[in-house]
Amino acid sequence: MIKEINSQKTFFVNEVHDLRMYQGNALELLRQEKSETFDLIFADPPYFLSNNGVTCQSGKMVSVNKGDWDKASTLEDMHTFNMEWLGECRRLLKPNGTLWVTGTAHNIFSVGYALQTLGYKILNDIAWHKVNPPPNLSCRYFTHATETILWARREQKSKHTFNYEDMKRENKGKQMQSLWYIKPPSTHEKRHTKHPTQKPEALLERIITAASNSGDLILDPFCGSGTTGVACAKLGRRFVGFELDENYLTIASKRIEDEILAKEVEKNKK
């Protein structure tokens, strides 16, 4: 049931683990939050690639169109949007907080320029190699096998969190590089139905483990089917998510509840 909390439509709340999701326009909800609230922000914003093209999915030709939220009338409109939401995110980050943004060639250059314009310090540009991407149907250019993830801190000079030893341990004792081999979401991760741009849980678990600590507050302003919330529930972080689409919020709620239950079962076994 949707109820009003702090003038926001709260779709999902778990008080024990401090996990919340709000339904509404991301930019409007960002403007309502208090400054310097969040330790980490992960954002998977619109890529603006809904251009009536086609791609391959499960061996079938399908449209790349995701919905009206993934369309921009001009490049100027796209960049204005990126400047607005990234500006709000910078205001909401704590002084030592960091921001992670995913994208492709359709939007990532605008995001990168906006980050630098707004005063962020870009720490890494990470290439996520999807390992088994869909084939290129036109055979006119290389198969798209990566997405870019920009990692930036709020201030040019600040002490951002980076759990170096955890990343080194995950990488079998070697420094982790900025090329990440992570498979797309599994069938199990999409068991409650599909989201067109769902990110794998392993990707969010790595990001959150690398750049936050237990009990930190994480924001995802475009939370979609809730992968960030699932990772937070698993790793003991607090979570706030924004999403406009009620159907995706319903999926996200089920996924987060599943993770909480699984964690409780594991705890009882121990």
Side-chain angles (χ1 to χ4, degrees):
M1 180 182 296
I2 298 174
K3 56 183 178 179
E4 295 291 332
I5 296 181
N6 297 329
S7 76
Q8 299 172 337
K9 288 184 177 179
T10 305
F11 193 93
F12 173 88
V13 179
N14 182 288
E15 297 283 359
V16 174
H17 299 280
D18 199 359
L19 308 168
R20 303 169 184 270
M21 289 189 293
Y22 299 95
Q23 183 179 9
N25 177 278
L27 192 54
E28 293 176 2
L29 294 177
L30 285 169
R31 288 169 176 157
Q32 294 180 35
E33 291 289 342
K34 294 180 180 179
S35 299
E36 300 187 359
T37 297
F38 298 97
D39 299 284
L40 182 150
I41 298 175
F42 171 82
D44 185 18
Y47 289 7
F48 300 113
L49 50 71
S50 293
N51 55 7
N52 297 319
V54 295
T55 187
C56 182
Q57 190 174 91
S58 302
K60 298 179 180 179
M61 184 183 296
V62 297
S63 172
V64 300
N65 291 346
K66 306 293 188 297
D68 291 340
W69 55 268
D70 195 45
K71 296 179 180 179
S73 54
T74 66
L75 290 174
E76 289 76 14
D77 289 342
M78 176 182 71
H79 190 63
T80 296
F81 172 73
N82 286 333
M83 284 289 291
E84 289 178 344
W85 75 263
L86 285 168
E88 288 299 323
C89 284
R90 187 167 187 266
R91 178 182 65 82
L92 298 181
L93 278 173
K94 294 179 180 178
N96 293 330
T98 59
L99 170 78
W100 298 71
V101 188
T102 62
T104 61
H106 303 82
N107 74 324
I108 202 65
F109 300 109
S110 167
V111 168
Y113 182 57
L115 288 172
Q116 294 175 87
T117 302
L118 291 165
Y120 288 89
K121 169 66 175 179
I122 295 178
L123 301 169
N124 276 119
D125 58 316
I126 294 161
W128 165 34
H129 181 205
K130 299 182 181 180
V131 184
N132 55 345
N136 183 305
L137 295 179
S138 71
C139 302
R140 299 282 293 173
Y141 39 83
F142 300 107
T143 299
H144 297 293
T146 63
E147 287 191 25
T148 298
I149 306 170
L150 296 180
W151 181 31
R153 65 187 181 206
R154 196 189 89 164
E155 305 290 346
Q156 290 291 322
K157 295 182 179 180
S158 61
K159 296 181 180 179
H160 66 275
T161 297
F162 178 47
N163 295 314
Y164 170 81
E165 292 298 335
D166 289 338
M167 294 297 98
K168 186 176 179 180
R169 190 179 305 110
E170 183 180 333
N171 200 40
K172 299 179 180 179
K174 297 181 180 180
Q175 283 190 341
M176 184 172 289
Q177 299 179 353
S178 59
L179 178 60
W180 293 359
Y181 296 91
I182 297 177
K183 293 181 179 180
S186 65
T187 301
H188 176 72
E189 290 178 35
K190 292 195 170 188
R191 63 194 178 279
H192 291 299
T193 194
K194 296 180 180 180
H195 184 281
T197 61
Q198 184 170 324
K199 295 297 181 286
E201 292 175 16
L203 181 69
L204 269 300
E205 288 172 19
R206 179 175 294 180
I207 287 171
I208 291 170
T209 300
S212 71
N213 297 307
S214 180
D216 278 357
L217 183 58
I218 314 294
L219 170 67
D220 186 338
F222 311 96
C223 71
S225 60
T227 303
T228 306
V230 172
C232 287
K234 182 175 182 178
L235 298 172
R237 272 62 164 177
R238 297 175 294 141
F239 171 68
V240 173
F242 301 152
E243 174 56 44
L244 185 61
D245 192 304
E246 183 175 346
N247 292 326
Y248 294 149
L249 282 167
T250 299
I251 297 169
S253 300
K254 291 178 180 177
R255 293 182 65 204
I256 293 172
E257 287 172 345
D258 284 355
E259 183 59 44
I260 292 171
L261 179 60
K263 192 172 182 180
E264 289 297 320
V265 169
E266 184 64 25
K267 181 180 177 180
N268 291 334
K269 285 182 179 179
K270 291 181 179 180

Coordinates of all heavy atoms in Angstrom, one line a residue, residues 80-119:
T80 N 20.9 18.8 -20.5 CA 20.2 19.6 -19.4 C 19.7 18.7 -18.3 O 19.9 19.0 -17.1 CB 19.1 20.4 -20.0 OG1 19.6 21.4 -20.9 CG2 18.3 21.2 -18.9
F81 N 19.1 17.6 -18.7 CA 18.6 16.6 -17.7 C 19.7 16.1 -16.9 O 19.7 16.0 -15.6 CB 17.9 15.5 -18.5 CG 17.5 14.3 -17.6 CD1 16.5 14.4 -16.7 CD2 18.2 13.1 -17.7 CE1 16.1 13.4 -15.9 CE2 17.9 12.1 -16.9 CZ 16.8 12.2 -15.9
N82 N 20.8 15.7 -17.5 CA 22.0 15.2 -16.8 C 22.6 16.2 -15.8 O 23.0 15.8 -14.7 CB 23.1 14.7 -17.8 CG 22.7 13.4 -18.5 OD1 21.9 12.6 -17.9 ND2 23.2 13.1 -19.7
M83 N 22.7 17.4 -16.3 CA 23.2 18.5 -15.4 C 22.3 18.6 -14.1 O 22.8 18.8 -13.0 CB 23.3 19.8 -16.1 CG 24.5 19.9 -17.1 SD 26.1 20.0 -16.3 CE 26.0 21.7 -15.6
E84 N 21.0 18.6 -14.3 CA 20.1 18.8 -13.2 C 20.1 17.7 -12.2 O 20.3 18.0 -11.0 CB 18.6 19.0 -13.8 CG 18.4 20.3 -14.5 CD 17.0 20.4 -15.1 OE1 16.3 19.3 -15.2 OE2 16.6 21.5 -15.5
W85 N 20.0 16.4 -12.6 CA 20.0 15.4 -11.6 C 21.3 15.1 -11.0 O 21.4 14.9 -9.8 CB 19.4 14.1 -12.2 CG 20.2 13.3 -13.1 CD1 20.2 13.3 -14.5 CD2 21.2 12.3 -12.8 NE1 21.1 12.4 -15.0 CE2 21.7 11.7 -14.0 CE3 21.6 11.8 -11.5 CZ2 22.7 10.7 -14.0 CZ3 22.6 10.8 -11.6 CH2 23.1 10.3 -12.8
L86 N 22.4 15.3 -11.8 CA 23.7 15.2 -11.2 C 24.1 16.3 -10.2 O 24.8 16.1 -9.2 CB 24.8 15.1 -12.3 CG 24.9 13.8 -13.1 CD1 25.7 14.0 -14.3 CD2 25.4 12.7 -12.2
G87 N 23.5 17.5 -10.5 CA 23.7 18.6 -9.6 C 23.0 18.4 -8.2 O 23.6 18.6 -7.2
E88 N 21.8 17.8 -8.3 CA 21.1 17.5 -7.1 C 21.8 16.3 -6.3 O 21.9 16.4 -5.1 CB 19.7 17.0 -7.4 CG 18.7 18.1 -7.8 CD 18.6 19.2 -6.8 OE1 18.5 18.9 -5.6 OE2 18.5 20.4 -7.1
C89 N 22.3 15.4 -7.0 CA 23.1 14.3 -6.4 C 24.3 14.8 -5.6 O 24.6 14.4 -4.5 CB 23.5 13.2 -7.4 SG 22.1 12.1 -7.9
R90 N 25.0 15.8 -6.2 CA 26.2 16.3 -5.6 C 25.8 17.0 -4.3 O 26.5 16.9 -3.2 CB 26.9 17.3 -6.5 CG 28.2 17.8 -5.9 CD 29.0 18.5 -7.0 NE 30.4 18.8 -6.5 CZ 30.7 19.9 -5.9 NH1 29.8 20.9 -5.8 NH2 31.9 20.1 -5.4
R91 N 24.6 17.7 -4.3 CA 24.1 18.4 -3.1 C 23.8 17.3 -2.0 O 24.0 17.6 -0.8 CB 22.9 19.2 -3.4 CG 22.3 19.9 -2.2 CD 21.0 20.6 -2.6 NE 19.9 19.8 -3.1 CZ 19.1 19.1 -2.3 NH1 19.2 19.2 -1.0 NH2 18.1 18.4 -2.8
L92 N 23.3 16.2 -2.4 CA 22.8 15.2 -1.4 C 24.0 14.3 -0.9 O 23.8 13.7 0.2 CB 21.8 14.3 -2.1 CG 20.5 15.0 -2.6 CD1 19.5 14.0 -3.2 CD2 19.8 15.7 -1.4
L93 N 25.1 14.3 -1.6 CA 26.2 13.4 -1.1 C 26.9 14.1 0.1 O 27.0 15.3 0.2 CB 27.3 13.3 -2.2 CG 27.0 12.2 -3.2 CD1 28.1 12.3 -4.3 CD2 27.0 10.8 -2.6
K94 N 27.3 13.3 1.1 CA 28.1 13.7 2.2 C 29.5 14.2 1.6 O 29.8 13.8 0.5 CB 28.3 12.6 3.2 CG 27.1 12.3 3.9 CD 27.3 11.1 4.9 CE 26.0 10.8 5.7 NZ 26.2 9.6 6.6
P95 N 30.2 15.0 2.3 CA 31.5 15.6 1.7 C 32.4 14.5 1.2 O 33.1 14.7 0.2 CB 32.1 16.4 2.9 CG 30.9 16.8 3.7 CD 29.9 15.7 3.6
N96 N 32.5 13.4 1.9 CA 33.4 12.3 1.4 C 32.7 11.2 0.6 O 33.2 10.2 0.3 CB 34.1 11.6 2.6 CG 35.0 12.6 3.3 OD1 35.6 13.4 2.7 ND2 35.2 12.4 4.6
G97 N 31.4 11.5 0.2 CA 30.6 10.5 -0.6 C 31.0 10.4 -2.0 O 31.7 11.3 -2.6
T98 N 30.6 9.3 -2.6 CA 30.9 9.1 -4.0 C 29.7 8.7 -4.8 O 28.7 8.2 -4.3 CB 32.0 8.0 -4.3 OG1 31.5 6.8 -3.7 CG2 33.3 8.4 -3.6
L99 N 29.8 8.9 -6.1 CA 28.7 8.7 -7.1 C 29.2 7.7 -8.1 O 30.3 7.8 -8.6 CB 28.3 10.0 -7.7 CG 27.3 9.9 -8.9 CD1 25.9 9.7 -8.4 CD2 27.4 11.2 -9.7
W100 N 28.3 6.7 -8.5 CA 28.6 5.8 -9.6 C 27.5 5.9 -10.6 O 26.3 5.9 -10.3 CB 28.6 4.3 -9.1 CG 29.6 4.0 -8.0 CD1 29.7 4.5 -6.7 CD2 30.8 3.2 -8.2 NE1 30.8 4.0 -6.1 CE2 31.5 3.2 -7.0 CE3 31.3 2.5 -9.3 CZ2 32.7 2.5 -6.8 CZ3 32.5 1.8 -9.1 CH2 33.2 1.8 -7.9
V101 N 27.8 6.1 -11.9 CA 26.9 6.3 -13.0 C 27.2 5.3 -14.1 O 28.3 5.3 -14.6 CB 26.8 7.7 -13.5 CG1 25.7 7.9 -14.5 CG2 26.7 8.7 -12.4
T102 N 26.2 4.6 -14.6 CA 26.4 3.7 -15.7 C 25.9 4.3 -17.0 O 25.0 5.2 -17.0 CB 25.6 2.4 -15.5 OG1 24.2 2.7 -15.4 CG2 26.1 1.7 -14.2
G103 N 26.5 3.9 -18.1 CA 26.0 4.4 -19.4 C 26.7 3.8 -20.6 O 27.6 3.0 -20.4
T104 N 26.2 4.2 -21.7 CA 26.8 3.7 -23.0 C 27.2 5.0 -23.8 O 27.0 6.1 -23.3 CB 25.8 2.9 -23.8 OG1 24.7 3.7 -24.1 CG2 25.4 1.6 -23.0
A105 N 27.6 4.8 -25.0 CA 28.0 5.9 -25.9 C 26.9 6.9 -26.1 O 27.1 8.1 -26.4 CB 28.5 5.4 -27.2
H106 N 25.6 6.5 -25.9 CA 24.5 7.3 -26.1 C 24.4 8.5 -25.1 O 23.9 9.5 -25.4 CB 23.2 6.5 -26.0 CG 23.1 5.4 -27.0 ND1 23.7 4.2 -26.7 CD2 22.6 5.3 -28.2 CE1 23.5 3.4 -27.7 NE2 22.8 4.0 -28.6
N107 N 24.9 8.2 -23.8 CA 24.8 9.2 -22.8 C 26.0 9.5 -21.9 O 26.1 10.5 -21.3 CB 23.6 8.8 -21.9 CG 24.0 7.7 -20.9 OD1 24.7 6.8 -21.3 ND2 23.5 7.8 -19.7
I108 N 27.0 8.6 -22.0 CA 28.1 8.7 -21.0 C 29.0 9.9 -21.2 O 29.5 10.4 -20.2 CB 28.9 7.4 -21.0 CG1 29.6 7.2 -19.6 CG2 29.8 7.3 -22.1 CD1 28.7 7.0 -18.4
F109 N 29.1 10.4 -22.4 CA 30.0 11.5 -22.6 C 29.3 12.8 -22.1 O 30.0 13.7 -21.5 CB 30.3 11.7 -24.1 CG 31.0 10.5 -24.7 CD1 30.4 9.6 -25.6 CD2 32.3 10.2 -24.3 CE1 31.0 8.5 -26.1 CE2 33.0 9.1 -24.8 CZ 32.3 8.2 -25.7
S110 N 28.0 12.9 -22.2 CA 27.3 14.0 -21.5 C 27.4 13.9 -20.0 O 27.7 14.9 -19.3 CB 25.8 13.9 -21.9 OG 25.1 14.8 -21.1
V111 N 27.3 12.7 -19.5 CA 27.4 12.5 -18.0 C 28.8 12.9 -17.5 O 29.0 13.6 -16.5 CB 27.1 11.0 -17.6 CG1 27.5 10.8 -16.2 CG2 25.6 10.7 -17.8
G112 N 29.9 12.4 -18.3 CA 31.2 12.8 -17.9 C 31.5 14.3 -17.9 O 32.1 14.8 -17.0
Y113 N 31.0 14.9 -18.9 CA 31.2 16.4 -19.0 C 30.5 17.1 -17.9 O 31.0 18.0 -17.3 CB 30.8 16.9 -20.4 CG 31.0 18.3 -20.6 CD1 32.3 18.9 -20.5 CD2 29.9 19.2 -20.9 CE1 32.5 20.3 -20.7 CE2 30.1 20.5 -21.1 CZ 31.4 21.1 -21.0 OH 31.6 22.4 -21.2
A114 N 29.3 16.6 -17.6 CA 28.5 17.2 -16.5 C 29.2 17.1 -15.2 O 29.2 18.0 -14.4 CB 27.1 16.6 -16.5
L115 N 29.7 15.9 -14.9 CA 30.4 15.6 -13.7 C 31.5 16.6 -13.5 O 31.7 17.2 -12.4 CB 30.9 14.2 -13.6 CG 29.9 13.1 -13.5 CD1 30.6 11.7 -13.6 CD2 29.2 13.1 -12.1
Q116 N 32.3 16.8 -14.5 CA 33.5 17.7 -14.4 C 33.0 19.2 -14.3 O 33.6 20.0 -13.5 CB 34.4 17.5 -15.6 CG 35.0 16.2 -15.6 CD 35.9 15.9 -16.9 OE1 37.0 16.3 -16.9 NE2 35.2 15.3 -17.9
T117 N 32.0 19.5 -15.0 CA 31.4 20.9 -15.0 C 30.9 21.2 -13.6 O 31.1 22.4 -13.1 CB 30.3 21.1 -16.0 OG1 30.8 20.8 -17.3 CG2 29.7 22.5 -16.0
L118 N 30.3 20.3 -12.9 CA 29.7 20.5 -11.6 C 30.7 20.4 -10.4 O 30.3 20.7 -9.3 CB 28.6 19.4 -11.4 CG 27.3 19.6 -12.3 CD1 26.5 18.3 -12.2 CD2 26.5 20.8 -11.8
G119 N 31.9 20.0 -10.7 CA 32.9 20.0 -9.6 C 33.2 18.7 -9.0 O 34.0 18.6 -8.1

